[in-house]
Amino acid sequence: MHYLELTHKQYLILESYSMGVTPKKMTVNFNISNSTIQDHFNAIKTKLNCHSTNDLRFIFLSRLFSEFCYHLSKNL
């Protein structure tokens, strides 16, 4: 899955959040502050034109599912 508009760190944060990792746990996993996590969420929401972090989760998982279906259909 490619999110060309996101930085590598933003992609990792989006992926982690979409898979159920809490922002508090991300501060430990990525060794960054909570305010930095929030800055990344705000940047991701702006880049993907979302209004909430739940929208982010939906977009990530729907793109992931679409890619999965695409690759599955190519192998049939």
Side-chain angles (χ1 to χ4, degrees), residues 13-76:
I13 287 172
L14 176 58
E15 179 181 46
S16 295
Y17 178 74
S18 297
M19 298 303 169
V21 179
T22 64
K24 185 175 181 178
K25 182 68 176 166
M26 282 185 246
T27 63
V28 174
N29 292 351
F30 298 119
N31 194 30
I32 55 179
S33 70
N34 188 54
S35 64
T36 302
I37 294 287
Q38 294 309 314
D39 290 344
H40 282 303
F41 274 132
N42 289 334
I44 295 166
K45 286 190 286 190
T46 298
K47 289 179 178 182
L48 299 182
N49 196 27
C50 293
H51 301 291
S52 74
T53 50
N54 284 334
D55 290 344
L56 293 177
R57 183 177 283 147
F58 176 79
I59 287 171
F60 180 85
L61 293 175
S62 63
R63 287 186 185 182
L64 184 66
F65 183 72
S66 293
E67 289 231 357
F68 173 77
C69 290
Y70 172 77
H71 291 292
L72 183 64
S73 69
K74 291 294 220 179
N75 292 324
L76 293 178

